[in-house]
Amino acid sequence: MARRHQVRSAGLTAFAAAALASATLFTACSTDSPDTRSDADAITVSQPWVKALDDVAADGGMTSAFAVVENDSDRDVRIVSASSDVAKTVELHEVVESGGTTTMREVDGGIVVPAKGSATLDPGGEHFMLMGVTKSIRSGDTVTITARFDDGSTETVEAIARDFNGNQENYSPEHTGERS
Amino acid sequence: MTRVSRRTLLTGGIGLAGIGVGAAAVGVGHEVSASTTDAPSTLPFFGEHQSGITTPMQSHVNFIGLDLVDPADHRVLQSILRMWSQDAANLTQGRPGFSDTEPELAGDPSRLSIAVGLGPGAFASPALASRRPGWLTPLPDFAIDRLRPEWGQTDLVVAVACDEPMTLAHTVRLVIAPVRTRTRVRWMQQGFHHGRNLFGQVDGTVQPDARRYDDLVWNDGREQPWMAGGTSLVLRRIAMNMDTWESLDRHGRELSMGRTLDNGAPLTGSHETDDPVFTATSGGIPVIPESSHIARAHRRTDREQFLRRPYSYDVPPSPGSGDTSDSGLIFAAYQRDPVVQYVPVQQRLSDHDALNEWTTPIGSAVYAMLPGPREYLGETLFA
Ligand SMILES: [Cu+2]
């Protein structure tokens, strides 16, 4: 949120104009006329990465992916589902704390990217959960993540895998708290 | 007003086209908010050359020597360079890296630079073998060398430097952690910069004229087009024996160096930057001894010039060794062609240099320092 305001207040200096001329962010930013862009056109996904998965269980493994999602429109945009070339399914997760344990679970209603704001998907927070990964994903491997928005539009990014130990919260598919 | 000029300085107007749209947008927002001091605390990451080479020396450095776990797979190398670029583009500008678990440690870049080089082993893949620069081979054996394998040649080097030790440590962590199953850290050489070395000598005085960097430091791409804008690094670890140096009196120290300890002036001059006069004699004896360090190191041809970036190291002696110190110099020399520019000077110093009595090279490696990135480090190698 704060970041978006800063970009605005910076104004379009020559530098900024040059840097952003090609960005979808600024292609339709008249504040007077209604924003008719699709959700995907209003969204910029940056800094994508995926947690490497070295040992894959026989029934498929799980890992997570992260990114910064920015919304340049005047309306909230919702990521309602996601998919990946390396996973059978991708869930949208959040991490919640209850009774001293943190647990990850599916987000009700998807991930909201606030109007003129951003959502940071990071370890310990909201993230893409890749389920049913049948091949190992090694550091340096590239995977694609496709986010689908409320209006049906989609945005696909390539994420490079990184060795990373975090985001190991228990997963509770039934929203029942900790997994044994 | 300072905001605008800072922004121009930070981006330099070059390489911006290569930044991802998202990164560029984020960058504007942060730069506006990141002005607490007047002195620029960020160095550009994108551009024709990597920062940290001709940049005025930062006060702290960590040279990380890494080997590739699977050097035959050039795609892994390419991915590693992409990931390092992702994080470096952020960290050098005071923003957290992609997988940064300590983002609060990223806010004070303190002139952070992250410069990457490739050793001969990085060209092991058949796809890259023909792209290895001809000079990227082991240096000749020098008689003075007592090289220890633990400080030897590695496949990759990352020179991380800045003015703040916490920023340095945080950055080093982010260089290594995301690729730890793909690389092995062989050594780290941590050093600090001061105008003097641990012998008290003014160091790094003789440097090529900045107007000749394009000719003497930067690669012109003639042999390997992908290297244009890059350079070479010779990294030598030189142990300094503080105990025996202690036994040498002040006059003897000045004669061994050929310069005064007071201000680093040559013994024939009064200021550090005065040109030494090797022909000057006093009572028939050269004022600057022929065996002194500066007499031996002085260039004999125009090509024998290179950029010196000396860092001191002072680490604990091995427990139980009985040594009083483990100190010395991390001598980083940058030049277009080390065989033509560096080796003749080093050969003379090896053949004879009064300082050899108190100094011992224990590590040596050569790297092709990548050109500056427009999109990511090494992009021209894989093009
Ligand atoms: Cu999850």
Side-chain angles (χ1 to χ4, degrees), chain A residues 112-125:
Chain A
V112 177
V113 189
K116 294 275 182 276
S118 64
T120 299
L121 312 189
D122 62 0

Side-chain angles (χ1 to χ4, degrees), chain A residues 26-160:
Chain A
F26 278 80
T27 48
C29 60
S30 162
T31 47
D32 298 330
S33 57
D35 190 342
T36 55
R37 288 176 295 172
S38 71
D39 288 347
D41 284 344
I43 286 289
T44 304
V45 180
S46 63
Q47 309 201 25
W49 64 282
V50 60
K51 177 180 160 176
L53 179 66
D54 287 315
D55 301 310
V56 180
D59 57 343
M62 284 194 296
T63 190
S64 34
F66 313 95
V68 176
V69 187
E70 294 173 86
N71 175 6
D72 181 55
S73 74
D74 295 319
R75 61 181 190 276
D76 290 357
V77 167
R78 203 173 284 268
I79 304 173
V80 294
S81 66
S83 58
S84 167
D85 60 341
V86 295
K88 285 204 183 74
T89 57
V90 176
E91 294 183 354
L92 306 176
H93 275 191
E94 63 183 347
V95 174
V96 292
E97 199 199 323
S98 64
T101 353
T102 51
T103 306
M104 57 172 69
R105 66 181 188 199
E106 280 198 88
V107 190
D108 283 332
I111 293 171
V112 177
V113 189
K116 294 275 182 276
S118 64
T120 299
L121 312 189
D122 62 0
E126 292 173 319
H127 55 270
F128 298 109
M129 200 77 199
L130 280 60
M131 326 273 295
V133 179
T134 52
K135 266 184 15 183
S136 68
I137 302 171
R138 296 198 57 199
S139 166
D141 291 352
T142 300
V143 308
T144 65
I145 311 279
T146 300
R148 189 179 190 85
F149 305 100
D150 233 349
D151 67 357
S153 61
T154 61
E155 176 92 358
T156 299
V157 294
E158 293 198 329
I160 303 179

